[in-house]
Amino acid sequence: MAFEGLSDRLQSAMGTVSGKGKITEADLKQMMREVRLALLEADVNFKVVKKFVKTVNERALGANVLESLSPAQQVVKIVNEELTELMGGEQAPFNFSPKPPTVVMMVGLQGAGKTTTAGKLAKFMHKNEHKRPLLIAADVYRPAAIDQLQTLGEQLNYPVFSMGTDADPVEIARQGIERAKIDGRDLVIIDTAGRLHVDDQLMAELQNIKEVANPQEILLVVDSMTGQDAVNVAETFNERLDISGVVLTKLDGDTRGGAALSIRSVTGKPIKFTGQGEKLEDFEIFYPERMASRILG
Ligand code: GDP
């Protein structure tokens, strides 16, 4: 289960104050020391942890929380609010185009779950927003990727636009969007190529697709199990593509929480959705507040 270790550690840190009627500054300090360790162990970015601890401390001491009637609850509330803030505060809305079709580019490293997530998103938008999706297979480097998208399309009963592996991905994206317009499909999801590592050629290609496709959303798919690597990947993709949001996959695994708690702070871009399994319905909107409450138990 995701964040189990972090959750246990934070709850135990809160335990140092929660039984007490009165809290001293020393109690608060001890608690925050444990919170800091819990976050670092969960692989949260070092700078993010530092800022988090400072903010919670300032709020707890500044508002005379320790003198209040229920200091322990107040402190827990502050931690909850700041965890929520760390993950973006408000839930970040999905951008639809005022003029159909809405175009979404899925980007990310190979294996992160990009193709699966393209299918999940299509299904989600069909079910909840009554969209008529068209999927575009723009990963021409791996024939298996096109097959995988086509299988997904058949399973979901959505058309998949493909021009095989010999065509230029930019041209595939352009023609795919034209096809969507002709066929009245109001949601286009472009599955782009991924690599094992970020490389210049891939980034240049994605930039070219972006220019032609003019997407409302560029969603970076990252594997939450990879922790700080996911955060670094997000930073690089964001610098090159100015992504609109992140999809955090594999939250059903033994994830420590580092990616979820650092990405927004480090990149300034929100987590919009999460994946919690291999099945197409294992997909949810990301709500920072709910996640914070879940972590704090
Ligand atoms: P891509 O290379 O980025 O397109 O990745 P794929 O979509 O092919 O996914 C790689 C593997 O991760 C596949 O085995 C997927 O079933 C799996 N996967 C994707 N999302 C999730 C998720 O949220 N949870 C789990 N457990 N597996 C996932």
Side-chain angles (χ1 to χ4, degrees):
M1 186 48 210
F3 307 159
E4 202 168 8
L6 173 64
S7 206
D8 287 350
R9 290 288 303 266
L10 283 181
Q11 283 171 34
S12 125
M14 299 294 136
T16 56
V17 300
S18 63
K20 303 194 172 173
K22 229 109 206 60
I23 307 177
T24 63
E25 261 193 69
D27 293 332
L28 182 68
K29 213 169 161 186
Q30 172 64 20
M31 183 197 95
M32 288 314 292
R33 199 177 294 133
E34 287 180 32
V35 167
R36 181 175 165 276
L37 278 176
L39 293 172
L40 287 174
E41 254 174 47
D43 201 21
V44 180
N45 178 282
F46 173 74
K47 284 186 201 153
V48 173
V49 174
K50 206 169 152 187
K51 191 161 159 255
F52 179 84
V53 169
K54 186 162 174 266
T55 311
V56 173
N57 259 326
E58 278 172 6
R59 281 191 61 190
L61 294 172
N64 285 331
V65 163
L66 303 189
E67 318 303 322
S68 71
L69 278 176
S70 52
Q73 276 114 301
Q74 303 277 356
V75 169
V76 174
K77 185 161 170 274
I78 291 173
V79 172
N80 188 319
E81 284 170 5
E82 291 304 325
L83 275 181
T84 304
E85 209 45 46
L86 210 52
M87 291 183 282
E90 296 285 303
Q91 183 254 320
F94 184 85
N95 296 316
F96 291 102
S97 168
K99 189 167 158 271
T102 294
V103 177
V104 185
M105 247 175 102
M106 310 297 298
V107 301
L109 294 186
Q110 202 173 302
K114 197 166 10 72
T115 306
T116 310
T117 305
K120 286 177 172 179
L121 180 67
K123 182 175 181 185
F124 181 92
M125 287 298 167
H126 177 70
K127 188 167 166 229
N128 297 290
E129 302 285 341
H130 311 293
K131 293 291 169 199
R132 289 160 43 80
L134 174 124
L135 303 165
I136 298 182
D139 180 356
V140 297
Y141 306 103
R142 287 191 313 134
I146 300 179
D147 294 344
Q148 191 188 344
L149 197 67
Q150 244 143 10
T151 307
L152 269 176
E154 277 164 28
Q155 206 178 324
L156 288 163
N157 223 357
Y158 308 141
V160 175
F161 184 86
S162 153
M163 291 166 66
T165 52
D166 292 333
D168 171 15
V170 177
E171 194 51 28
I172 298 174
R174 198 184 63 74
Q175 292 197 25
I177 293 168
E178 280 315 306
R179 170 54 58 85
K181 285 180 188 162
I182 293 165
D183 293 349
R185 313 300 299 190
D186 54 7
L187 177 67
V188 172
I189 300 176
I190 309 172
D191 187 28
T192 65
R195 303 274 160 84
L196 290 174
H197 302 282
V198 173
D199 74 58
D200 252 13
Q201 201 197 341
L202 171 69
M203 286 299 172
E205 178 181 302
L206 294 177
Q207 280 169 327
N208 290 337
I209 296 178
K210 176 183 176 181
E211 212 158 289
V212 164
N214 210 1
Q216 278 67 48
E217 289 279 357
I218 302 179
L219 295 178
L220 172 69
V221 179
V222 295
D223 177 346
S224 62
M225 306 278 283
T226 61
Q228 284 314 292
D229 279 345
V231 180
N232 295 335
V233 165
E235 237 184 328
T236 313
F237 272 81
N238 190 42
E239 274 162 21
R240 295 291 292 266
L241 288 169
D242 189 19
I243 60 172
S244 59
V246 174
V247 182
L248 206 53
T249 63
K250 310 190 191 182
L251 275 185
D252 50 311
D254 185 17
T255 304
R256 285 191 290 167
L261 289 168
S262 315
I263 276 184
R264 170 60 196 243
S265 229
V266 172
T267 66
K269 296 300 164 68
I271 298 169
K272 292 200 170 178
F273 300 97
T274 60
Q276 304 88 7
E278 296 192 79
K279 292 205 290 294
L280 288 171
E281 52 278 6
D282 298 330
F283 184 75
E284 280 176 10
I285 292 179
F286 181 74
Y287 294 98
E289 218 234 297
R290 280 187 211 170
M291 187 56 89
S293 298
R294 224 176 82 186
I295 291 171
L296 287 178

